[in-house]
């Protein structure tokens, strides 16, 4: 059995809607795709949720891996991971490290998922800092942005490595032959941006990738680049702002459509056209963000994930495992990465 055929480990205890929605998503995946899922968490909590979701028909492609602890959303990530080695998040990542799962997925504490991956799966040799990457909708498809939350403070060398990892992601996961890599800044000119951005610009320009220079935040959605590199603080704000704007716009359109008789008619006519656009902006359709730079496939799903989001997060994990994204990054980073001397401290 190849690694890509191994089960996917799913943290059944992580997220606002655990375990019910998490388990329902897993059941859908098994029924629709045949992928085997390892549900990680407290057996006595998962079993009733699984019975409610599956009904009378048991499926041996849904297996429970008992884990006694749970890391809450408000716990300190690294401290909780150190203290709770049998937590569902830690066990989910450990299954990948032990070669028992092809990928790990959790909608739980994202910082704890990062820490657990670093403790168990480990970094790819040569990677200074892993980065969380996710896709934004754009005029011509999707734009992959990293980092969106793993590293609030960055060095220029790390951003250069993010560019290499983003290049690999676009080639393997999005089938882009020659990805356009851009750096997020407050202006397109090379001299624009903070000291960090200017230093990163010089380093990325020397890499054997197609660097198209700086872009502004608005250009993430125009399709000006396939990959956009930024620090985790800025990237997370951009992600949450985009989610908020999308929800606000669609809620406002819906409210206007319900406000009058003519609005209801117009809304009924527009709804079929707006639905595909809304789906593209819906985090549930994106599913999850891939943690790049660790020696295995780890997906961090949205904390509000429902069954639909879990289905799509598992799809990201399964595709990453089959494409061996972490292996491709290891090949890319080792021979041609920028020089880094830092080690991860969590």
């Amino acid at each position: 059995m190849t690694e890509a055929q191994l089960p996917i480990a799913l943290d059944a205890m992580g997220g606002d809607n655990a375990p019910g929605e998490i388990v329902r998503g897993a059941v859908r995946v098994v029924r629709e795709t045949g992928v085997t899922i390892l549900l990680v968490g407290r057996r006595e909590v998962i079993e009733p949720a699984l019975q409610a979701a599956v009904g009378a028909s048991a499926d041996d492609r849904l297996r429970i891996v008992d884990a006694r602890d749970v890391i809450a959303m408000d716990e300190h990530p690294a401290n909780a991971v150190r203290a709770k080695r049998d937590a569902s998040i830690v066990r989910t990542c450990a299954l990948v490290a032990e070669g028992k799962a092809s990928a790990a997925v959790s909608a739980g504490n994202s910082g704890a998922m990062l820490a657990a991956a670093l403790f168990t799966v480990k970094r790819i040799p040569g990677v200074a800092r892993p980065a969380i990457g996710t896709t934004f909708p754009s005029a011509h498809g999707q734009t992959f942005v990293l980092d969106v939350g793993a590293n609030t403070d960055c060095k220029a060398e790390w951003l250069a490595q993010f560019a290499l990892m983003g290049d690999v992601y676009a080639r393997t996961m999005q089938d882009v032959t020659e990805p356009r890599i851009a750096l997020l800044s407050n202006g397109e000119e090379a001299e624009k941006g903070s000291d960090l951005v200017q230093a990163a610009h010089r380093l990325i320009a020397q890499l054997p990738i197609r660097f198209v220079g700086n872009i502004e935040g608005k250009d993430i959605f125009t399709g000006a680049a396939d990959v956009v590199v930024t620090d985790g603080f800025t990237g997370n704000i951009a992600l949450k702002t985009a989610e908020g704007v999308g929800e606000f716009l669609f809620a406002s359109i819906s409210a206007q459509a319900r406000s009058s008789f003519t609005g209801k008619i117009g809304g009924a006519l527009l709804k079929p056209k707006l639905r595909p656009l809304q789906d593209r902006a819906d985090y549930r359709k994106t599913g999850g963000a891939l943690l790049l730079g660790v020696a295995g496939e780890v997906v961090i799903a949205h904390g509000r994930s429902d069954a639909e989001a879990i289905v799509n997060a598992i799809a990201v994990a399964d595709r990453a495992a089959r494409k061996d994204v972490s292996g491709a990054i290891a090949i890319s980073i080792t021979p041609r990465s920028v020089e880094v001397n830092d080690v991860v401290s969590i």
Side-chain angles (χ1 to χ4, degrees), residues 42-323:
R42 293 173 178 162
R43 182 177 296 275
E44 70 274 14
V45 176
I46 297 174
E47 283 182 340
L50 186 57
Q51 186 174 9
V54 176
S57 56
D59 197 317
D60 60 6
R61 293 169 300 178
L62 284 164
R63 308 171 195 165
I64 298 175
V65 176
D66 194 49
R68 305 313 303 164
D69 288 328
V70 176
I71 295 177
M73 289 291 196
D74 59 351
E75 290 190 70
H76 185 281
N79 290 345
V81 167
R82 290 191 185 98
K84 297 180 175 181
R85 295 303 178 95
D86 197 34
S88 57
I89 281 181
V90 180
R91 288 293 299 129
T92 299
C93 290
L95 288 167
V96 175
E98 295 163 3
K100 297 176 182 177
S102 62
V105 179
S106 177
N109 185 315
S110 58
M113 189 64 165
L114 170 61
L118 289 171
F119 274 125
T120 60
V121 182
K122 309 294 186 182
R123 287 179 299 133
I124 292 170
V127 171
R129 289 290 195 278
I132 301 172
T134 193
T135 54
F136 285 57
S138 77
H140 304 292
Q142 294 180 326
T143 301
F144 186 68
V145 180
L146 77 165
D147 182 21
V148 294
N151 307 279
T152 53
D153 295 299
C154 282
K155 295 184 178 181
E157 293 85 356
W158 305 352
L159 295 184
Q161 282 198 340
F162 297 170
L164 285 173
M165 294 193 291
D167 179 73
V168 171
Y169 179 94
R171 291 175 186 273
T172 56
M173 293 286 283
Q174 298 179 317
D175 298 321
V176 181
T177 304
E178 192 177 1
R180 297 161 299 157
I181 316 297
L183 183 63
L184 189 62
S185 185
N186 63 336
E188 296 178 357
E189 298 82 4
E191 65 272 11
K192 286 290 184 70
S194 63
D195 290 343
L196 170 65
V197 169
Q198 292 181 42
H201 189 284
R202 291 191 292 272
L203 289 177
I204 297 173
Q206 299 173 34
L207 296 175
I209 58 177
R210 185 183 175 188
F211 181 48
V212 296
N214 292 347
I215 65 168
E216 298 177 356
K218 61 182 175 59
D219 297 316
I220 293 174
F221 305 95
T222 64
D226 301 296
V227 176
V228 176
V229 173
T230 187
D231 62 89
F233 181 79
T234 305
N236 191 263
I237 290 176
L239 174 63
K240 297 298 174 58
T241 300
E243 288 179 354
V245 170
E247 291 174 0
F248 167 74
L249 287 177
F250 286 111
S252 298
I253 292 170
S254 178
Q256 287 296 316
R258 295 193 304 267
S259 65
S260 66
F261 178 73
T262 54
K264 291 177 181 177
I265 295 175
L269 294 173
L270 278 175
K271 189 174 182 179
K273 300 294 184 182
L274 290 175
R275 174 58 65 183
L277 178 60
Q278 187 174 15
D279 286 346
R280 292 183 62 201
D282 188 349
Y283 73 87
R284 295 178 301 173
K285 302 297 182 181
T286 302
L290 197 61
L291 180 60
L292 301 179
V294 293
E297 316 311 335
V298 175
V299 172
I300 300 173
H302 203 293
R304 291 185 289 160
S305 291
D306 58 7
E308 175 78 9
I310 293 300
V311 168
N312 290 306
I314 293 173
V316 171
D318 184 54
R319 181 170 173 79
R322 294 181 186 279
K323 293 285 189 176

